[in-house]
């Protein structure tokens, strides 16, 4: 399944990933500076949430594209069950 993002979907995912990237850089700097453990963990949790949200957005877009392809008969020889199993595995990888 090739994932294609357009317009607002692409912008949203990239913004989330950039936010996580900035937060992770901040966490690294905080650790290097010997900052308070609670502050570090709080920022790390925020980065984790940003990555999770980006992942869920990617999976949602993939699911939407798979459903659209299935409706148009473009399933590349894959059964609906196989497609469902792959998407479920992807979703659970973020859980």
């Amino acid at each position: 399944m090739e994932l294609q993002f357009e317009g607002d979907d692409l912008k949203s995912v990239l913004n989330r990933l950039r936010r996580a990237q900035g937060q992770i850089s901040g966490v690294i700097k905080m650790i290097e500076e010997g900052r308070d453990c609670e502050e570090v963990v709080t920022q790390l949790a925020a980065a984790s949430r940003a990555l999770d949200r980006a992942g869920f957005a990617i999976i949602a877009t993939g699911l939407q594209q798979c459903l659209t392809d299935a409706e148009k008969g473009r399933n590349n020889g894959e059964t609906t069950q196989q497609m469902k199993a792959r998407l479920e595995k992807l979703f659970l990888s973020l859980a």
Side-chain angles (χ1 to χ4, degrees):
M1 163 177 63
E2 185 176 315
L3 196 57
Q4 297 176 351
F5 287 95
E6 296 177 359
D8 290 340
D9 289 335
L10 176 61
K11 185 177 179 179
S12 175
V13 168
L14 290 176
N15 284 340
R16 290 173 194 268
L17 291 172
R18 286 186 184 109
R19 185 177 308 124
Q21 182 179 34
Q23 289 168 327
I24 291 169
S25 294
V27 169
I28 292 168
K29 185 176 179 182
M30 291 171 79
I31 291 170
E32 291 172 344
E33 293 172 351
R35 299 274 294 273
D36 178 69
C37 178
E38 189 174 339
E39 291 177 26
V40 172
V41 171
T42 299
Q43 285 304 309
L44 192 57
S48 180
R49 283 191 303 274
L51 286 172
D52 286 345
R53 288 184 182 122
F56 289 131
I58 289 167
I59 290 172
T61 299
L63 179 59
Q64 182 181 16
Q65 287 178 10
C66 285
L67 291 174
T68 301
D69 287 350
E71 287 174 359
K72 294 179 180 178
R74 297 183 305 206
N75 59 2
N76 297 324
E78 187 174 49
T79 68
T80 302
Q81 277 305 112
Q82 289 170 322
M83 187 183 327
K84 179 182 173 188
R86 278 194 314 125
L87 288 170
E88 183 177 342
K89 183 178 178 181
L90 283 173
F91 184 77
L92 290 174
S93 72
L94 291 174

